[in-house]
């Protein structure tokens, strides 16, 4: 069992101590950390003054008039179930997920995602209007992108200085028969203001005629935000960070009882270190950290070794609806469901949805998306009264593919 180490500080104190990097300085040549202004919260200095549409002076180079990147009016009655996230927080209920529709123009190397957040009109309108995005050459066209051999990968972006910076990542499997997509609105810089995970495919499998139990293996990818943790001594990566995660997915479909379960085992967590370099922390199959120079043992935190467990119900039409949870318990049962009584994590009771579906002949493959929010409290239990409570938080969302 790993030791939970957290800061005993308030959320307001964390926010007040945060700083944001804003690309307001620098001239020609490469952009390095020392050419970036370090801007505090609500900093009104010349280099860091917020840009908005309240300034009517069209020639002011510091605070020009800009068009806010909002105004989404998309409303869909059919589409793909979509996880709706704002600043790493889930903005939907399990019973009322968002809907989305993706259009790809292969001839012109463009794509568009339209998202109905299923929130009230005023909240839906805070998301960007759908845009036609161009394929972004750097980092795209991979045969595999940490999601397994045979994975097709495309990346599309829409960018206009001071107006928009959006990205759509699209992983396709088995010649496009199924896919997972992640959308992010990065206009504000750093943490995505809006984020969505969705999935879809061709030839969804009706499961009413299927029986027996089938095991699947595959891959998953996710993003996470961690808060209120203590950074290890000599660590190059801070514990409170924004992360990219990849790992192995093992799933079981019990078609006799219409049950689906999966275990997601992380193999690496990646984040930006104190020197603004991307560093990957590799994990051993047993859940420990590899002592490499980049991402060594001091950069390994307890939350990294926890697994994600998913359980859901299978409909006759091949849809899967369920929930996800973070767990320190390494389950050995066939159903992949851990014993909650042994888990260090407290998972949210209302905001950990999973949506998926089967595709192909005989339910040959399954894809899905999930979101979870969990906290690790300390101290845990004991017979004495407790008055020194601490909490570490993890918010995570992602997608999986198994076959």
């Amino acid at each position: 069992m790993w030791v939970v180490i957290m800061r005993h500080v308030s959320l307001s104190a964390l926010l007040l101590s945060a700083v944001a990097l804003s690309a307001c300085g620098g001239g020609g040549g490469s952009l390095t950390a020392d050419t970036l202004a370090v801007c505090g919260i609500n900093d009104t200095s010349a280099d860091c003054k917020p840009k908005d549409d309240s300034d009517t002076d069209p020639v002011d180079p510091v605070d020009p008039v800009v068009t806010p990147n909002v105004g989404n009016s998309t409303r869909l009655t059919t589409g793909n179930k979509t996880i709706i996230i704002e600043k790493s927080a889930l903005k939907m209920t399990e019973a009322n997920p968002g809907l989305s529709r993706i259009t790809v123009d292969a001839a012109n190397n463009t794509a568009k995602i339209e998202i109905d957040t299923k929130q009230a009109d005023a909240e839906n309108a805070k998301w960007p209007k759908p845009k036609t995005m161009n394929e972004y050459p750097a980092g795209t066209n991979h045969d595999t992108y940490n999601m397994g051999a045979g994975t097709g990968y495309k990346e599309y972006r829409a960018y206009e200085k001071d107006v928009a910076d959006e990205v759509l990542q699209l992983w396709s499997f088995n010649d496009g028969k199924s896919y997972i997509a992640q959308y992010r609105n990065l206009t504000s810089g750093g943490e995505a203001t809006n984020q969505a995970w969705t999935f879809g495919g061709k030839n969804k499998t009706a499961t009413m005629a299927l029986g027996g139990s089938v095991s699947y293996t595959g891959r998953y990818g996710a993003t996470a935000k961690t808060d209120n943790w203590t950074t290890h001594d000599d660590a190059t990566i801070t514990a409170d960070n924004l992360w990219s995660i990849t790992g192995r997915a093992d799933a079981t479909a019990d078609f006799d009882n219409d049950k689906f379960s999966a275990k997601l085992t992380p193999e690496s967590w990646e984040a930006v270190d104190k020197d603004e370099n991307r560093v990957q922390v590799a994990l051993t199959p047993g859940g420990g950290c590899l002592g490499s120079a980049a991402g060594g043992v001091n950069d390994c935190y307890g939350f990294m070794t926890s697994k994600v467990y998913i359980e859901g119900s299978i409909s006759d039409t091949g849809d899967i609806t369920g929930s996800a949870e973070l767990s320190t318990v390494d389950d050995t049962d066939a159903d992949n469901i851990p014993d909650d009584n042994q888990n260090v994590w407290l998972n949210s009771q209302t905001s950990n949805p999973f949506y998926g579906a089967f595709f192909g002949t005989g339910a040959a493959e399954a894809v899905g998306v999930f979101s979870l929010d969990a906290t690790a409290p300390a101290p845990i239990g004991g017979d004495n009264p407790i008055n020194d409570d601490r909490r570490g938080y993890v918010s995570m969302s992602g997608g999986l593919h198994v076959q």
Side-chain angles (χ1 to χ4, degrees), residues 39 117 137 191 212 222 250 266 288 293 318 327 332 339 397:
C39 307
T117 68
E191 183 179 4
D250 296 280
S327 180
T332 57
D339 181 355
S397 58

Side-chain angles (χ1 to χ4, degrees), residues 52-135:
D52 55 45
D53 61 343
S54 61
D55 192 334
T56 58
D57 182 357
V59 298
D60 184 349
V62 175
D63 194 7
V65 176
V66 297
T67 303
N69 191 26
V70 295
N72 179 40
S73 60
T74 302
R75 288 305 189 193
L76 301 173
T77 55
T78 61
N80 296 324
K81 291 180 180 178
T82 304
I83 302 284
I84 302 298
I85 299 167
E86 297 176 6
K87 287 287 187 181
S88 301
L90 189 71
K91 292 296 180 180
M92 44 158 279
T93 63
E94 181 180 311
N96 194 34
L99 291 177
S100 66
R101 177 172 56 203
I102 294 177
T103 305
V104 175
D105 184 345
N108 293 303
N109 297 319
T110 63
K112 177 190 285 188
I113 183 169
E114 300 165 273
I115 300 174
D116 179 355
T117 68
K118 293 302 178 183
Q119 299 181 79
D121 287 347
E123 294 301 313
N124 195 53
K126 292 179 181 179
W127 282 57
K129 294 178 181 178
K131 299 175 182 64
T132 297
M133 303 185 187
N134 294 314
E135 184 179 346

Side-chain angles (χ1 to χ4, degrees), residues 34 42 74 115 162 173 218 346 371:
D34 61 1
N42 297 325
T74 302
I115 300 174
D162 297 328
F173 312 100
L346 288 173
S371 178

Side-chain angles (χ1 to χ4, degrees), residues 227-301:
D227 293 291
N228 218 37
W229 301 87
T230 298
T231 297
H232 294 162
D233 293 340
D234 300 323
T236 63
I237 308 175
T238 57
D240 292 348
N241 222 317
L242 300 172
W243 305 89
S244 298
I245 308 160
T246 56
R248 175 187 173 94
D250 296 280
T252 301
D254 179 357
F255 293 112
D256 289 331
N257 297 295
D258 298 326
K259 299 295 183 183
F260 177 86
S261 61
K263 177 172 69 175
L264 311 184
T265 304
E267 294 177 349
S268 70
W269 283 59
E270 184 176 273
V272 175
D273 67 10
K274 297 175 182 178
D275 295 323
E276 295 296 310
N277 300 311
R278 292 194 64 81
V279 175
Q280 185 180 89
V281 181
L283 306 177
T284 67
C289 282
L290 298 177
S292 59
V297 292
N298 287 332
D299 293 317
C300 186
Y301 299 97

Side-chain angles (χ1 to χ4, degrees), residues 80-382:
N80 296 324
K81 291 180 180 178
T82 304
I83 302 284
I84 302 298
I85 299 167
E86 297 176 6
K87 287 287 187 181
S88 301
L90 189 71
K91 292 296 180 180
M92 44 158 279
T93 63
E94 181 180 311
N96 194 34
L99 291 177
S100 66
R101 177 172 56 203
I102 294 177
T103 305
V104 175
D105 184 345
N108 293 303
N109 297 319
T110 63
K112 177 190 285 188
I113 183 169
E114 300 165 273
I115 300 174
D116 179 355
T117 68
K118 293 302 178 183
Q119 299 181 79
D121 287 347
E123 294 301 313
N124 195 53
K126 292 179 181 179
W127 282 57
K129 294 178 181 178
K131 299 175 182 64
T132 297
M133 303 185 187
N134 294 314
E135 184 179 346
Y136 185 58
T140 193
N141 292 318
H142 286 291
D143 292 328
T144 177
Y145 197 76
N146 294 325
M147 292 291 280
T151 302
Y153 174 75
K154 292 281 187 179
E155 183 175 315
Y156 304 88
R157 297 192 79 118
Y159 171 75
E160 184 178 351
K161 187 176 181 180
D162 297 328
V163 175
D165 188 358
E166 300 171 49
V167 60
L168 175 65
Q169 293 176 277
L170 188 62
W171 294 268
S172 60
F173 312 100
N174 296 317
D175 297 323
K177 292 184 175 64
S178 64
Y179 69 85
I180 297 167
Q182 181 195 20
Y183 164 83
R184 300 191 311 283
N185 171 23
L186 309 172
T187 307
S188 60
E191 183 179 4
T193 304
N194 312 102
Q195 184 177 196
W197 285 90
T198 188
F199 69 95
K202 303 174 183 177
N203 303 320
K204 191 174 72 169
T205 307
T207 59
M208 64 182 70
L210 300 178
S213 180
V214 179
S215 296
Y216 300 84
T217 61
R219 304 285 298 170
Y220 83 100
T223 61
K225 179 181 180 179
T226 50
D227 293 291
N228 218 37
W229 301 87
T230 298
T231 297
H232 294 162
D233 293 340
D234 300 323
T236 63
I237 308 175
T238 57
D240 292 348
N241 222 317
L242 300 172
W243 305 89
S244 298
I245 308 160
T246 56
R248 175 187 173 94
D250 296 280
T252 301
D254 179 357
F255 293 112
D256 289 331
N257 297 295
D258 298 326
K259 299 295 183 183
F260 177 86
S261 61
K263 177 172 69 175
L264 311 184
T265 304
E267 294 177 349
S268 70
W269 283 59
E270 184 176 273
V272 175
D273 67 10
K274 297 175 182 178
D275 295 323
E276 295 296 310
N277 300 311
R278 292 194 64 81
V279 175
Q280 185 180 89
V281 181
L283 306 177
T284 67
C289 282
L290 298 177
S292 59
V297 292
N298 287 332
D299 293 317
C300 186
Y301 299 97
F303 52 75
M304 293 180 178
T305 61
S306 295
K307 299 177 177 65
V308 176
Y309 289 88
I310 292 168
E311 55 180 313
S313 299
I314 303 171
S315 73
D316 288 345
T317 58
D319 295 296
I320 311 167
T321 304
S323 60
E325 68 174 41
L326 206 59
S327 180
T328 53
V329 180
D330 191 5
D331 177 75
T332 57
D333 297 333
D335 61 3
N336 286 333
I337 302 172
D339 181 355
D340 286 334
N341 293 327
Q342 301 176 32
N343 192 10
V344 169
W345 292 99
L346 288 173
N347 286 271
S348 172
Q349 296 178 323
T350 59
S351 59
N352 293 358
F354 172 80
Y355 308 103
F358 294 96
F359 295 90
T361 304
E365 59 178 327
V367 294
V369 292
F370 70 91
S371 178
L372 64 84
D373 183 81
T375 182
I380 298 175

Side-chain angles (χ1 to χ4, degrees), residues 16-18 99 103 253 282 373 386 400:
L16 289 173
S17 64
L99 291 177
T103 305
D373 183 81
I386 296 172
L400 66 88

